[in-house]
Structure formats: structure tokens, C-alpha cells
Amino acid sequence: MAELKLSESRDLTRIERIGAHSHIRGLGLDSALEPRDVSEGMVGQAPARKAAGVILQMIKEGKIAGRAVLLAGQPGTGKTAIAMGMAKSLGQETPFAMMAGSELFSLEMSKTEALMQAFRKSIGVRIKEETEVIEAEVVEVQIDRPAVAGAASKTGKMTLKTTDMETVYDLGAKMIEALGKQKAQSGDVIAIDKSSGKITKLGRSFARSRDYDAMGPQTKFVQCPEGELQKRKEVVHCVTLHEIDVINSRTQGFLALFTGDTGEIRAEVREQIDTKVAEWREEGKAEIVPGVLFIDEVHMLDIECFSFLNRALENDMAPILVVATNRGITNIRGTNYKSPHGIPIDLLDRLLIISTQPYSEDEIRKILDIRSLEEDVEMSDDAKVLLTKIGVEASLRYAIHLITAASLACQKRKGKVVEMEDISRVYRLFLDVKRSTQYLMEYQNQYMFNEVPTREGGDEDDATAMHS
């Protein structure tokens, strides 16, 4: 007899990747919008966080539209971190769309269409509708299967009860299938939407909590519903204007949301949707939830995009626009004119500017502590002091990159805690910008296309001074 092989069963868990800002949980403000020293993954930048908190309060009130905020600061001063903190603080309901300025030029649609879609992704519509729902505890499910397979459809009965009443319902094939999918059994509390026939399992009844000794941690216990079996309930759906556009503009409808093949959406479709949403608002069926559109690297946009933004911000359906840049006075893309941050003056005029400052040594130490915890790396105090020094002299981003690298060096020597020797080892292995530039200056003759501007008769030190 052939030996029966049991397939190995592995416990699969979802892989959580650690990103540059995965430690951020919010803006770290108290109820009076005062920034705490270290909170929700945020450190320092107190004035910028406080200003972002005020903007956040305005967004939550939902009263304003078409305001724009510019986060301006040197590279590595936490501009994207503040935007991420705002997104986390807003919660699930408020739409938050994020894009980089350079994305617009690689899409298969016009720049203005891509910006319009981004704008509409960040405006939500909260639609309210009343529906009849049966909420009850399942007492018993009886399904009569036909004697001959396929001869007739299944039929059955289901007994449902609340604390006040009990009723038996006849089941058709569709309902039996829906119950099977939800794995509903006696003791479960379910909700049935009468209009669509959709069944939702709310949990198990407290009365049945002692039925089984083995319960999974995900088992949720709920009270047996009270009163009538049938109730009228208000259901609230939250969708973005872009989702409504896609569903109404394509032959395959909402499937376009999954395929990503949205293409360009005609202006007439958008006009009809805006008219319909305005009607719903007047009838009290829907309300607009202005969200946030965050554009990083905004200096990458060109003069046409800036003109579009100017116009789009005047619309009453506009979201809050948050843009970030690390440029000083530079050319506006598509022109020969220079402007602060590479943004035209007429748009700069509309922006509330939040400035971010370089981090102090103490703040760099706190950020490195948070990142070490996030990356699950144990580090000695001496190693942290050295890493902080590197962060001050080179850059914070470079110091953060060394954390995991030093942890791997520590594992190689069979150590448990990252020491100074691990930090110095990876510091020697990976160059920072200053040391890399110095190396280039020394060996520039051996590189292709070297164009170091040295004066005739001048020595190499002049060239080094120009680049350092």
C-alpha cells in the first residue's frame, strides 16, 4: 500500500514591510493642539506640527474648500512624515490621496486629467439610505437536500429569535447558498438586508459562549438582539467622486476600479455626477467630505499644471491641497523664470506655508530610538551615541539606513546587541554624500565625463573647496 504523505501545513502570516514612515501613527498633538515632545512616532518640528494640527481641525470641521498648504524645508526634515501624520489622524472616513509631482509625466493621459482624477479621489461623498434589516440569533437551520443530486433545488427552514419573539422563515436556494458562504449556524447572530438578501455574521450569542472549550481569538460575542425581528436602519456608504466617475464612465462599470484601466473621463460624465450629488445634498441624502490631496516634490510640476491647480482650487468641490518641496529659489519647470520653491508667485500667494527646521542632536537621538524599536534592533547606549553623531555630521536618513545594516553585522559576529564596532563597520562599508564627494574629487580623472571646473594654474584644493 502506498504510503500516504501528509502535506506540510505552514502558518502563513501577512508580511508587514517596514517603510520609511511606518512608525508614524499621527501628529502627536494633545487636545489643545499642543505638540508633545515624542508622541505617535513624531519627534520635534513643534511649530510645523502645531500648524498642521490647525489645518487638520479645519479639515475635520468640513467647512472649508480650496485651501492649500505648502510644507517647505530642507531634505530630511520630516515633510512627508507630517503629511503621513495628517493622513493617520484623519481616520478611515476622510479621503487622502497621495502622489509625487513626477508621476504626472509617466501616465497614459494628459497632465490635467491626471490632476483632476487625483482631485476627485480626495473628495468623498457620504451617502445615507434607509433599508429594512432582519437582525436576530439563529436558533436552528434545517436544509432538505434532494434524494437525487441535481433533481431539485435545496429548500429549508431557519428559526430566528430576538429577546422578544421567535419566527420560522422558509429558505430558497439563494439564501441557503448565502448562509453556507457565511458558515452561519445555530447560536450565531446575523443581519439580513431585505433588499439585497445579503447576510452578515455579527458574531456569536453570549448565551452560547460556554458551548465550546476551543474558541479562536477572533471569535466575537454579541448580545442577542432586542425587540422586533425587522428593523429600519440607516446605512451610510462612503465613496470618492473618482469612484463614482469610473463606475459611470466605463462599460465594465466598477470593475475598472480593480483593473486600474480608468483612462480619461469625459467632462459631461463629471458634470452629470456633480449635478446628481448636488441634488442628493439638497434632499439630505448625501454630504460632501472634503479630503486631502498631498503632492510631494511639487517643484516637478510644470507651468501648465500650476495654472490648472490655480483654477481647480477656486471650485467649491475642491479638497485641501497639501504640497511639499525641498527646493530653494529655482526655475519654474517649463519657463526660464526663477521663483521661490519653483512655484509661480500667483499660486504661492494662495498657500499657507509651513516651514520645517533641521533636527537638533537630541531629536535625532529620539528618532533613531523610535526607528530601532520599529526595526526590532537592540542597540547599546554607546552605539546610539555614535549613530547620533553620524546623523548630525552626515544626515538623519543615512544614520537610519545604518540601523538594519549594523544589526546584520552584529548577527554575523553572533552578537545580540548592536555595539559601536558594528556601527563603525557599516560606516566604513557604506559612504555618505560628503565622503563620496571627497572620493570623487580625489579620483575624478579616472571617471568618465569628469568636468570638475579647475582654474588654469589653480590647484586641486580649489576644486575640492568648490564641491564641499
Side-chain angles (χ1 to χ4, degrees):
M1 185 181 162
E3 192 180 323
L4 182 70
K5 284 192 178 176
L6 289 173
S7 62
E8 252 187 296
S9 71
R10 285 190 302 156
D11 198 17
L12 293 177
T13 52
R14 196 158 59 89
I15 296 169
E16 288 285 356
R17 297 199 68 189
I18 297 169
H21 298 103
S22 55
H23 61 285
I24 287 163
R25 316 267 180 266
L27 280 173
L29 304 171
D30 61 19
S31 54
L33 298 184
E34 285 298 325
R36 300 188 189 99
D37 275 354
V38 180
S39 178
E40 297 183 319
M42 294 294 262
V43 175
Q45 302 297 354
R49 277 160 57 202
K50 196 171 178 179
V54 173
I55 300 291
L56 206 64
Q57 205 62 31
M58 285 156 62
I59 296 165
K60 283 179 180 169
E61 299 284 322
K63 300 275 192 297
I64 61 160
R67 297 292 167 91
V69 181
L70 168 66
L71 296 168
Q74 301 161 26
T77 52
K79 296 182 295 296
T80 311
I82 288 173
M84 291 287 284
M86 286 174 80
K88 291 276 166 64
S89 303
L90 283 169
Q92 294 295 317
E93 286 270 282
T94 313
F96 184 92
M98 198 169 184
M99 67 185 300
S102 48
E103 269 178 50
L104 295 179
F105 302 96
S106 55
L107 296 169
E108 292 175 1
M109 59 178 89
S110 66
K111 293 173 289 191
T112 49
E113 172 65 20
L115 272 173
M116 180 55 100
Q117 287 193 13
F119 259 72
R120 289 176 80 87
K121 274 178 194 166
S122 41
I123 302 164
V125 184
R126 198 180 281 127
I127 303 164
K128 299 174 194 154
E129 59 180 6
E130 277 205 343
T131 180
E132 287 215 335
V133 178
I134 298 170
E135 256 183 33
E137 181 187 327
V138 180
V139 179
E140 188 183 13
V141 180
Q142 291 176 321
I143 296 167
D144 306 323
R145 289 179 174 80
V148 185
S153 59
K154 295 177 193 172
T155 55
K157 284 185 167 60
M158 175 167 63
T159 313
L160 295 175
K161 69 160 189 180
T162 64
T163 50
D164 299 356
M165 58 194 292
E166 189 169 309
T167 313
V168 179
Y169 286 93
D170 287 327
L171 300 174
K174 259 191 166 180
M175 287 298 280
I176 291 170
E177 193 184 329
L179 282 168
K181 274 186 183 168
Q182 285 292 327
K183 297 188 173 68
Q185 54 190 357
S186 57
D188 285 341
V189 176
I190 61 168
I192 305 170
D193 186 335
K194 280 195 78 177
S195 55
S196 63
K198 186 185 170 203
I199 296 176
T200 314
K201 201 157 129 182
L202 303 175
R204 281 197 68 75
S205 170
F206 272 116
R208 300 296 192 100
S209 60
R210 302 198 181 278
D211 278 13
Y212 306 105
D213 291 336
M215 283 282 182
Q218 66 277 20
T219 307
K220 186 179 168 192
F221 288 104
V222 292
Q223 293 286 3
C224 177
E226 296 174 356
E228 295 277 323
L229 275 160
Q230 288 194 31
K231 300 180 180 80
R232 286 193 73 77
K233 264 200 163 181
E234 192 179 71
V235 182
V236 178
H237 307 284
C238 264
V239 285
T240 66
L241 280 177
H242 176 66
E243 285 166 353
I244 304 174
D245 291 348
V246 171
I247 290 165
N248 287 284
S249 71
R250 291 269 139 190
T251 45
Q252 72 261 43
F254 74 97
L255 290 175
L257 288 170
F258 303 109
T259 58
D261 172 32
T262 52
E264 298 217 0
I265 292 164
R266 296 193 317 279
E268 309 88 82
V269 173
R270 288 203 173 112
E271 277 170 29
Q272 286 169 5
I273 287 163
D274 288 352
T275 313
K276 195 73 192 158
V277 170
E279 274 176 36
W280 289 344
R281 281 169 77 186
E282 281 186 16
E283 290 167 16
K285 279 188 189 171
E287 56 182 283
I288 294 290
V289 185
V292 177
L293 171 59
F294 175 59
I295 305 178
D296 208 352
E297 316 263 326
V298 73
H299 51 264
M300 294 302 291
L301 300 184
D302 60 13
I303 194 76
E304 293 162 29
C305 296
F306 287 128
S307 305
F308 175 85
L309 286 180
N310 253 336
R311 177 72 195 84
L313 284 172
E314 287 172 358
N315 190 339
D316 64 338
M317 293 275 261
I320 309 291
L321 177 68
V322 179
V323 297
T325 178
N326 54 22
R327 297 294 159 98
I329 295 169
T330 183
N331 274 10
I332 301 166
R333 189 170 175 173
T335 71
N336 296 322
Y337 297 107
K338 284 191 184 298
S339 175
H341 312 295
I343 300 170
I345 298 295
D346 57 342
L347 181 59
L348 265 177
D349 229 16
R350 293 173 184 270
L351 301 173
L352 293 168
I353 302 174
I354 298 175
S355 174
T356 54
Q357 305 301 323
Y359 289 107
S360 68
E361 191 169 334
D362 188 38
E363 287 165 356
I364 287 176
R365 168 71 189 253
K366 286 172 184 168
I367 292 168
L368 291 171
D369 280 347
I370 292 169
R371 286 304 301 180
S372 302
L373 275 173
E374 182 72 15
E375 294 177 33
D376 206 9
V377 173
E378 211 175 319
M379 203 178 282
S380 71
D381 286 348
D382 290 347
K384 280 181 183 168
V385 169
L386 178 60
L387 199 58
T388 307
K389 195 164 180 289
I390 291 169
V392 173
E393 287 181 9
S395 76
L396 174 61
R397 282 176 180 160
Y398 173 69
I400 287 171
H401 289 323
L402 292 186
I403 295 173
T404 303
S407 168
L408 293 170
C410 172
Q411 281 173 29
K412 196 160 186 287
R413 64 171 180 81
K414 307 276 192 295
K416 293 270 185 267
V417 179
V418 172
E419 299 290 350
M420 281 175 77
E421 59 185 280
D422 303 312
I423 303 280
S424 1
R425 187 170 177 207
V426 291
Y427 180 73
R428 285 194 299 274
L429 281 174
F430 305 107
L431 300 182
D432 58 275
V433 179
K434 281 182 188 168
R435 285 183 296 153
S436 180
T437 312
Q438 198 178 342
Y439 180 85
L440 283 178
M441 300 308 304
E442 286 173 27
Y443 297 99
Q444 38 105 2
N445 315 335
Q446 291 162 32
Y447 283 84
M448 288 176 69
F449 312 122
N450 65 83
E451 287 181 21
V452 176
T454 53
R455 293 197 310 273
E456 280 190 16
D459 57 12
E460 287 293 308
D461 291 342
D462 291 339
T464 313
M466 288 175 78
H467 277 254
S468 60

